[in-house]
Amino acid sequence: MQFTKAEEYGMFGVLYLAEQDPNKVVPLSEISEAQNIPEKFLAKIFQSLSKSGIIRSHRGVRGGFTLARDPKEISVKDVLETIQGPYHLMKCTEDQRNCTDGKSDEFCALRELILEAERRLVQVFEQHTLADLVEWQKTKSVSQLV
Amino acid sequence: MQFTKAEEYGMFGVLYLAEQDPNKVVPLSEISEAQNIPEKFLAKIFQSLSKSGIIRSHRGVRGGFTLARDPKEISVKDVLETIQGPYHLMKCTEDQRNCTDGKSDEFCALRELILEAERRLVQVFEQHTLADLVEWQKTKSVSQLV
DNA sequence: ACTCTTCGGCTTTCGTAAACTGCATTGTAC
DNA sequence: GTACAATGCAGTTTACGAAAGCCGAAGAGT
């Protein structure tokens, strides 16, 4: 019941990019040092973020990464789901055939509750963008959180 | 980012009790067979639920378990937190010293967002009781969910 | 063209926690 | 007193998260 390091590192890495001058190409080495993240691990995470079009990679000398879009257009959900896939609190909310009882066709009250919890969780993450987080960090305030 | 089997089994086990006649003492063997749960594993889970006063154990011949309180008085949160402890989506929301950057004293926008997400999640689980779930299961409807 | 740099992709390793098991012990109803 | 069911503790096994390593590909600069 916790986010993985990959998600955590991915968020910090992407936030680091969002804080920079949009035109600055930032190499992995800089991010991993600044944010205290194992470089090769971050490389793997950034690969998937790159493939899904959240960040853009630049190879060669003075290469690195930039955000592919405006931070206002990247939700926290975008980042988290790219790294880990949609979060499901139970196997049965991912695919009902994973029901413990094997009663995959029946109504399950617990499953409905979990689905509702998942919806609430997603809401938080899709309502806020990288730009929001950078803004909060600057003002040290989350007054806009609601 | 998923509940453990322990939480899942625990919920199903407790729900099974909530569906029975409140005076019926149900042995582990019955629950584990009905709900398809490894008996010894369920035994371990039920021990902690018993210690925290959610269920009551009855030893000896024709022993087993009953709910310790009215299903209306047992929230889903009670059960889940007994089994797993309070859920934290990141290590840093459990204890700020676990911050990746080691900047445990500083304001962290991401942390604030995660804390908000946790609050939303808890709300869902503390607002609904075992009685609600049993009711939904009977009516096959979650109209009261909101 | 050559070379240096930085990402890309694949494989392997390591550690830890989840998931499950076994057995001896204690308590209780009959 | 014996059969049954939970208790408590000590395991084992499995799975996955979290890296680390290696080599190849692509682009920049000369």
Side-chain angles (χ1 to χ4, degrees):
Chain A
M1 189 48 189
Q2 249 180 18
F3 286 125
T4 61
K5 283 285 175 190
E7 286 169 299
E8 188 176 332
Y9 292 158
M11 277 302 304
F12 277 117
V14 161
L15 278 172
Y16 185 83
L17 288 181
E19 288 168 351
Q20 313 297 314
D21 176 339
N23 297 321
K24 180 180 171 193
V25 177
V26 188
L28 276 177
S29 56
E30 178 181 335
I31 306 173
S32 75
E33 190 181 357
Q35 301 287 55
N36 229 351
I37 301 171
E39 188 171 332
K40 280 304 291 182
F41 195 11
L42 187 60
K44 192 185 224 170
I45 299 162
F46 267 32
Q47 271 179 44
S48 47
L49 289 169
S50 173
K51 278 179 186 165
S52 76
I54 290 172
I55 60 180
R56 194 190 316 279
S57 79
H58 307 263
R59 304 225 260 195
V61 177
R62 292 197 49 86
F65 293 90
T66 54
L67 288 184
R69 304 179 249 148
D70 190 295
K72 282 188 173 54
E73 305 301 325
I74 304 175
S75 74
V76 174
K77 182 198 172 199
D78 292 336
V79 178
L80 293 179
E81 293 215 334
T82 293
I83 297 172
Q84 211 70 359
Y87 19 74
H88 290 286
L89 300 178
M90 280 194 185
K91 302 242 185 271
C92 66
T93 59
E94 185 180 345
D95 185 338
Q96 197 162 6
R97 281 169 302 182
N98 293 327
C99 180
T100 296
D101 290 346
K103 305 172 185 168
S104 38
D105 49 341
E106 292 183 19
F107 176 90
C108 174
L110 182 57
R111 182 166 181 274
E112 296 299 322
L113 184 71
I114 303 294
L115 283 170
E116 173 64 12
E118 287 175 1
R119 282 191 290 268
R120 300 278 184 98
L121 206 53
V122 176
Q123 274 177 25
V124 177
F125 296 134
E126 66 189 359
Q127 280 168 5
H128 298 288
T129 67
L130 297 186
D132 291 333
L133 289 174
V134 171
E135 170 70 15
W136 298 348
Q137 191 66 46
K138 280 184 186 157
T139 62
K140 312 273 187 209
S141 149
V142 288
S143 51
Q144 311 128 345
L145 206 151
V146 184
Chain B
M1 190 50 190
Q2 248 180 20
F3 286 126
T4 60
K5 284 285 175 189
E7 287 170 298
E8 187 176 333
Y9 292 160
M11 279 300 305
F12 277 117
V14 162
L15 277 172
Y16 185 83
L17 289 182
E19 288 169 350
Q20 312 299 315
D21 176 339
N23 297 321
K24 180 181 170 192
V25 176
V26 187
L28 278 177
S29 56
E30 177 179 336
I31 305 172
S32 73
E33 188 181 359
Q35 301 288 58
N36 230 348
I37 301 171
E39 185 171 334
K40 282 300 294 181
F41 196 11
L42 186 61
K44 192 184 223 171
I45 299 162
F46 266 33
Q47 270 181 44
S48 48
L49 289 169
S50 173
K51 279 180 186 162
S52 76
I54 290 171
I55 59 179
R56 194 192 314 280
S57 79
H58 307 263
R59 290 164 80 144
V61 177
R62 292 196 48 87
F65 294 89
T66 53
L67 288 185
R69 304 179 248 147
D70 189 294
K72 282 187 173 56
E73 304 303 323
I74 304 175
S75 75
V76 174
K77 183 196 172 202
D78 292 336
V79 177
L80 294 178
E81 292 215 334
T82 292
I83 297 172
Q84 210 71 359
Y87 19 73
H88 290 287
L89 299 179
M90 278 194 186
K91 301 241 185 273
C92 66
T93 59
E94 183 179 346
D95 184 338
Q96 196 161 8
R97 282 170 301 184
N98 293 327
C99 178
T100 296
D101 291 345
K103 305 172 184 169
S104 38
D105 50 340
E106 291 181 20
F107 176 90
C108 175
L110 182 57
R111 182 167 181 275
E112 297 299 322
L113 184 70
I114 302 294
L115 283 170
E116 173 65 13
E118 286 176 1
R119 282 189 291 268
R120 302 277 185 99
L121 204 55
V122 175
Q123 274 177 26
V124 177
F125 296 134
E126 65 189 359
Q127 280 168 5
H128 298 288
T129 67
L130 298 186
D132 291 333
L133 289 173
V134 172
E135 170 70 16
W136 299 348
Q137 192 65 46
K138 280 182 187 159
T139 63
K140 312 273 186 206
S141 148
V142 288
S143 51
Q144 312 128 347
L145 206 152
V146 184

